[in-house]
Amino acid sequence: MKNKKFKRILSGLLCAAFIVCQTLPVLATDEYGDPIVTATPVPEEVYHTDYYKQPADTDSIEGWVQGPQIEGESAILMDMTTGTILYSKNADKAQYPASITKIMTALLGSESLKATDKFSMSETAAHGITDTQSSSIYADTGEEFTVEQALMAVMLQSANEMTLAIAEQTSGSVKKFVELMNLKARQLGCTNTHFNNPNGLPDEKHYTTANDMAKIARAAWFNPTFRKYCTTGYYEIPSTNKFSETRYLLNHHKMMSGQAYAYDGVFGGKTGYTEAAGNTLVTFARRGNMYLVSVVMQSINGAYSDTKSLLDYGFNNFSRSAIKAKKEICFSCLPAEKYLIKDYRKCVLFYSMKTPSVALPNDADTASVKKNYSIQKNPAGRPLLTINYTFNGHQDGTARYYPKTSISDLRL
């Protein structure tokens, strides 16, 4: 009886085992008969900085296009023609700029020096930077260069010793040149910038903001001599009196044509990196009638991904449009403004030779743009009638009008 019971139990177990085997997948085996173990690959975790999810400050503008997420702590995208800020994130926060400082150095050199002028490297310029890891073309004391060669070395090779040479040639000393840098920054409307050297090497007293840097870069772009230096992709410095070989300089901005992250429309710019500053990047680009400059600070991976996101955002979502405006305006001055124009008439005639324009989201109408008038001092000449255009409270463009007649005529 027990044998029959045992056989029934064994038969049941064998049937159950057979059913289970039928439902299990057949495992592949290797040449030795061992099962090949496979696993579903786990997607690699994507790293983002603490600032990636922080929304853009410009997202708060009514009717504005929401900005992209970027890794950089500070960034700005500006339409250079109108000065309109299309994107802004922590743009007024002080940051270390690293080598994008050299945009200011190259601008001042372009304004003050003749490209064909020659000079000899001083001992302090050639060997004034002791950091052996510093970017350099290894210029030697007494070596002769032209100003163009020096500025190409500054903008393409980021040569730090050549910034000292440009400083000395421009102002007589690095100290006086730094004073000139800070004066120029104030003249351009920078409010939180202090330069302490012409190259951007680490210094606690050397800082700027993305907003201020955009103002500097915009002013530099409108200098045709500077544009030549920042948009050149390749340059050669032939043998000199101290160095027998040709120096080959390649622009380090990887979004230029033919480079690793080439982007349609990018003209050039300036890269920067120190451990304290992280990656900093200034980029000039154009599509159609839109000229953009982007500044990214305290970023990673060269800031190229951030810059691409910003340029895509600007070119895809905004356009520049002309504003209907009179060529001449008869403006009634307020009593407090009369001392500026030195005239006691109630109405003064102002004129402009340019058609003003604004940069707006693609679906916005220029009819929604508001304007306000003001009389402003003009350090370069006669006072100006300035028209500021705004879109839902956001500065969107400016027009300048000049007095139709001279001050001496107004007094008659």
Side-chain angles (χ1 to χ4, degrees):
M1 190 71 181
K2 290 183 177 179
N3 269 337
K4 289 183 179 179
K5 186 175 182 182
F6 175 76
K7 288 179 179 179
R8 285 197 298 269
I9 293 173
L10 181 60
S11 177
L13 290 173
L14 289 173
C15 289
F18 176 78
I19 293 171
V20 170
C21 288
Q22 291 297 311
T23 59
L24 289 175
V26 178
L27 299 176
T29 58
D30 59 21
E31 57 183 310
Y32 303 105
D34 296 324
I36 298 175
V37 180
T38 59
T40 303
V42 178
E44 186 177 343
E45 184 177 357
V46 178
Y47 169 80
H48 291 299
T49 66
D50 294 338
Y51 305 100
Y52 182 75
K53 293 185 178 180
Q54 180 181 346
D57 299 328
T58 41
D59 287 353
S60 62
I61 303 170
E62 183 182 350
W64 213 249
V65 184
Q66 185 173 359
Q69 293 178 313
I70 63 170
E71 308 288 357
E73 180 178 0
S74 297
I76 196 168
L77 181 69
M78 177 185 289
D79 173 63
M80 289 195 289
T81 304
T82 64
T84 305
I85 295 173
L86 306 181
Y87 175 99
S88 174
K89 184 174 82 168
N90 298 324
D92 292 317
K93 183 174 182 178
Q95 305 278 13
Y96 296 127
S99 283
I100 60 175
T101 298
K102 295 176 174 110
I103 291 177
M104 175 63 93
T105 300
L107 171 60
L108 293 174
S110 298
E111 290 179 340
S112 305
L113 304 173
K114 190 176 179 180
T116 55
D117 285 348
K118 295 182 179 180
F119 67 92
S120 295
M121 292 290 291
S122 69
E123 172 72 20
T124 55
H127 302 289
I129 297 172
T130 57
D131 183 1
T132 58
Q133 302 299 315
S134 171
S135 299
S136 173
I137 62 166
Y138 304 102
D140 198 3
T141 304
E143 190 168 5
E144 296 177 354
F145 297 95
T146 65
V147 168
E148 178 178 290
Q149 291 169 347
L151 286 172
M152 285 293 186
V154 167
M155 291 302 294
L156 274 65
Q157 192 64 28
S158 205
N160 290 315
E161 81 275 30
M162 301 309 277
T163 66
L164 303 184
I166 290 297
E168 290 177 351
Q169 294 304 308
T170 301
S171 301
S173 70
V174 173
K175 181 180 179 181
K176 288 183 178 179
F177 185 77
V178 169
E179 292 174 357
L180 180 62
M181 293 173 75
N182 288 313
L183 174 61
K184 184 70 172 182
R186 290 193 296 272
Q187 290 173 342
L188 294 175
C190 300
T191 58
N192 197 13
T193 291
H194 184 269
F195 294 117
N196 219 30
N197 62 57
N199 42 54
L201 288 173
D203 188 319
E204 290 185 356
K205 295 181 180 179
H206 188 93
Y207 55 85
T208 186
T209 67
N211 192 355
D212 285 355
M213 200 66 229
K215 294 174 183 177
I216 294 168
R218 182 190 182 203
W221 179 256
F222 287 114
N223 182 297
T225 305
F226 170 86
R227 279 204 305 273
K228 177 182 178 180
Y229 300 131
C230 86
T231 60
T232 298
Y234 173 78
Y235 188 80
E236 294 182 6
I237 300 178
S239 60
T240 67
N241 61 321
K242 291 281 188 176
F243 195 75
S244 61
E245 298 179 9
T246 299
R247 291 176 169 96
Y248 303 97
L249 310 181
L250 181 67
N251 198 314
H252 290 184
H253 199 303
K254 295 182 180 180
M255 296 182 76
M256 294 181 67
S257 177
Q259 298 222 33
Y261 302 110
Y263 184 96
D264 181 29
V266 166
F267 287 113
K270 187 71 190 75
T271 61
Y273 175 80
T274 65
E275 186 175 346
N279 287 117
T280 61
L281 186 65
V282 174
T283 306
F284 300 104
R286 174 201 174 187
R287 285 186 186 173
N289 70 345
M290 293 282 287
Y291 287 82
L292 304 182
V293 59
S294 72
V295 180
V296 180
M297 305 184 75
Q298 194 59 251
S299 190
I300 58 174
N301 300 328
Y304 293 113
S305 177
D306 287 350
T307 300
K308 179 184 184 302
S309 295
L310 291 177
L311 293 178
D312 284 346
Y313 167 76
F315 288 129
N316 293 339
N317 296 291
F318 295 88
S319 55
R320 186 167 65 86
S321 302
I323 291 287
K324 292 183 179 180
K326 297 179 180 179
K327 292 293 183 182
E328 295 183 349
I329 297 176
C330 192
F331 184 71
S332 298
C333 302
L334 297 173
E337 295 171 329
K338 288 183 177 179
Y339 80 97
L340 290 173
I341 59 171
K342 299 179 181 179
D343 177 49
Y344 294 98
R345 300 180 183 180
K346 291 183 179 180
C347 185
V348 178
L349 190 63
F350 289 84
Y351 76 100
S352 176
M353 298 299 293
K354 295 182 178 180
T355 300
S357 60
V358 293
L360 292 170
N362 291 334
D363 58 355
D365 190 341
T366 55
S368 62
V369 174
K370 295 183 179 180
K371 54 187 177 181
N372 61 75
Y373 300 81
S374 64
I375 298 290
Q376 294 183 343
K377 286 185 177 181
N378 179 13
R382 293 178 290 171
L384 303 171
L385 170 63
T386 300
I387 304 177
N388 291 314
Y389 298 99
T390 59
F391 174 80
N392 291 334
H394 183 61
Q395 180 76 25
D396 205 50
T398 303
R400 291 181 173 180
Y401 284 73
Y402 298 86
K404 184 71 173 177
T405 52
S406 66
I407 291 176
S408 58
D409 292 336
L410 289 172
R411 287 176 174 175
L412 296 176

